[in-house]
Amino acid sequence: MNNNEKKHQRRPRYKGTHPKSFDAKYKELQPDKYADTIEKVIQKGNTPAGMHIPICVNEIIDFLQPKPGQIGLDATLGYGGHTLEILKKIAPSGHLYALDQDPIEIKRTKERLEKLGYNENILSIKNINFSDIDYLVLDSGPFDFILADLGVSSMQIDNPQRGFSFKTEGPLDLRMNPNKGVSAAIRLRELSKDEIQGMLIENSDEPYADKIAQAIISEYRKGNMIETTTKLYHTIQKALSFLSKDIKDDEIKKSAQRTFQALRIDVNHEFESLYDFLEKLPKVLKSQGKVAILSFHSGEDRLVKKSFQLNARQGIYKEISEGVIRPSMEEQSSNSRSRSAKLRWAIKS
Ligand SMILES: C[S@@+](CC[C@H](N)C(=O)[O-])C[C@H]1O[C@@H](n2cnc3c(N)ncnc32)[C@H](O)[C@@H]1O
């Protein structure tokens, strides 16, 4: 073999018939090459690694009714599932602005959409926080419609290096933009027991907040740092070891989910960003402009509901959705991640 030729490297082997870890799912991570595998994973009701299945697409398109020539904003680009459906509707003369604060996934999505023929003529992708829409509108002009699909994408949750999931070992980071702020590991170290407890209650209504906060502080006192996802998970396990055997596993899982969610909300300043976004929305929408927001937990939905109701009472919105719209039963069973989704909409006067 020529010395300059690259030696063939074996793919790392995985145990069992199906790859379980994110990196071993090499077929799912190359959807162009392995379309059959992607189809099979989706058929089973799962999300392929490195992908995100958009939620309530029909309900959102039915409400927004994007048309050729309109100017729209997708405030949360993610994998670009909603973006793509909107682009099909506004082509060829419309323009869509799409934002994401995640500098890692935004590049991949931009490339994917460019390959499908959507370039700057119709789509402007910007790596900014949606709390800055008042700056964006200076360039774009006011919008005919806006969509926000809150929270994190499946790509972010599934990538162990991002630290969003307690199910896989990784650095306890949880930032959507790893270039900003501090990781969850550092943030946790800065907080007192009362502050951790308060964060767990405020952000996730965690019923065992006191016990979990105490267990975290005890680890620090013993000189044990909580730098990884699994270390935090084991600390939660310890905190809830007093529970009876029949409920323990289930309660630990739910508490771990809520604790990771609370930390994620905290390090990404999610409530502050959403609050700013909601407050600025009426100023960046055209008259008769429409906004649709998908939320995934009660804290988010409460903020959206209050803002829409307040603006409706003041006559700023002429109409708002009555209650929430939920994904169909069919969607909930085919995409488990859609189950907690709640859609609300408003139309500006
Ligand atoms: C649920 S995903 C969106 C999925 C997308 N609708 C799709 O079809 O693929 C949410 C995305 O919004 C981004 N995001 C969350 N909060 C944001 C914020 N305040 N500003 C900008 N992007 C944000 C996340 O990084 C993530 O990529």
Side-chain angles (χ1 to χ4, degrees):
M1 191 201 305
N2 177 337
N3 274 346
N4 293 330
E5 268 179 42
K6 249 180 137 187
K7 261 194 174 172
H8 174 72
Q9 286 214 322
R10 277 194 79 87
R11 209 181 307 114
R13 290 200 164 273
Y14 56 86
K15 285 188 194 143
T17 51
H18 296 291
K20 290 207 171 57
S21 80
F22 182 80
D23 289 332
K25 293 180 178 175
Y26 66 96
K27 288 191 177 173
E28 293 174 36
L29 291 166
Q30 301 177 78
D32 293 347
K33 210 166 154 191
Y34 297 102
D36 289 1
T37 306
I38 300 295
E39 199 47 49
K40 273 187 212 156
V41 176
I42 293 174
Q43 289 277 315
K44 279 191 188 163
N46 297 322
T47 304
M51 251 194 185
H52 180 96
I53 299 174
I55 294 167
C56 285
V57 175
N58 293 337
E59 292 82 349
I60 289 169
I61 297 291
D62 274 357
F63 166 67
L64 294 179
Q65 297 273 321
K67 290 178 189 59
Q70 286 191 325
I71 298 183
L73 169 66
D74 183 346
T76 50
L77 172 69
Y79 192 78
H82 292 109
T83 294
L84 187 59
E85 294 311 311
I86 293 171
L87 285 168
K88 289 179 195 163
K89 302 279 180 195
I90 63 166
S93 49
H95 199 92
L96 186 68
Y97 289 79
L99 318 179
D100 206 297
Q101 62 175 330
D102 182 339
I104 301 164
E105 291 298 336
I106 202 170
K107 283 195 202 130
R108 298 186 183 138
T109 303
K110 189 166 191 271
E111 275 176 28
R112 212 178 306 114
L113 291 169
E114 268 171 9
K115 273 194 199 159
L116 295 174
Y118 296 106
N119 57 24
E120 296 85 32
N121 293 333
I122 187 163
L123 176 65
S124 300
I125 294 182
K126 304 210 180 274
N127 186 200
I128 60 172
N129 194 299
F130 59 52
S131 59
D132 288 331
I133 45 171
D134 47 340
Y135 294 107
L136 175 74
V137 82
L138 300 176
D139 282 341
S140 63
F143 298 103
D144 291 295
F145 62 85
I146 298 178
L147 166 67
D149 174 12
L150 302 175
V152 277
S153 68
S154 301
M155 298 85 75
Q156 292 165 330
I157 299 171
D158 292 344
N159 185 345
Q161 289 313 313
R162 309 286 308 256
F164 283 98
S165 170
F166 61 89
K167 292 179 185 159
T168 46
E169 168 82 13
L172 189 64
D173 193 312
L174 287 132
R175 279 171 298 174
M176 296 187 219
N177 181 355
N179 304 327
K180 263 199 174 168
V182 294
S183 70
I186 294 177
R187 178 74 178 134
L188 213 46
R189 243 185 288 149
E190 289 172 353
L191 300 176
S192 67
K193 190 240 159 192
D194 285 351
E195 286 168 334
I196 297 174
Q197 187 175 340
M199 174 187 71
L200 293 174
I201 294 171
E202 257 175 55
N203 293 355
S204 284
D205 302 319
E206 172 52 47
Y208 304 111
D210 177 29
K211 298 261 186 253
I212 294 171
Q214 186 56 57
I216 290 171
I217 294 297
S218 301
E219 288 300 313
Y220 291 146
R221 290 210 180 114
K222 283 187 238 156
N224 299 332
M225 288 299 109
I226 302 179
E227 306 278 1
T228 63
T229 49
T230 44
K231 176 71 192 164
L232 178 58
Y233 179 69
H234 292 140
T235 307
I236 297 166
Q237 268 184 323
K238 256 193 223 170
L240 303 190
S241 57
F242 69 94
L243 290 171
S244 67
K245 221 175 155 200
D246 51 331
I247 59 163
K248 199 189 295 184
D249 287 354
D250 203 38
E251 292 292 283
I252 289 172
K253 193 175 151 206
K254 285 190 210 149
S255 281
Q257 270 162 353
R258 288 188 294 255
T259 302
F260 274 69
Q261 176 184 294
L263 261 175
R264 195 199 83 204
I265 291 172
D266 184 272
V267 294
N268 292 292
H269 307 288
E270 290 183 33
F271 288 147
E272 293 86 340
S273 294
L274 180 57
Y275 186 87
D276 286 351
F277 176 70
L278 289 166
E279 200 176 55
K280 292 172 181 179
L281 266 177
K283 296 174 203 132
V284 305
L285 275 171
K286 286 183 186 172
S287 169
Q288 314 301 315
K290 295 174 171 180
V291 54
I293 303 185
L294 256 183
S295 65
F296 291 86
H297 56 83
S298 54
E300 279 175 348
D301 183 54
R302 247 188 324 258
L303 275 183
V304 177
K305 177 177 155 185
K306 275 193 181 165
S307 167
F308 281 6
Q309 287 179 341
L310 178 73
N311 282 315
R313 276 200 298 276
Q314 294 178 350
I316 296 169
Y317 290 141
K318 67 171 190 183
E319 205 182 334
I320 59 174
S321 53
E322 260 181 49
V324 290
I325 299 157
R326 307 293 312 274
S328 65
M329 291 316 287
E330 200 186 343
E331 179 167 14
Q332 291 188 39
S333 66
S334 70
N335 177 8
S336 56
R337 287 181 180 171
S338 73
R339 283 181 201 148
S340 54
K342 289 179 181 162
L343 178 66
R344 289 185 187 270
W345 55 255
I347 306 175
K348 192 177 157 180
S349 300

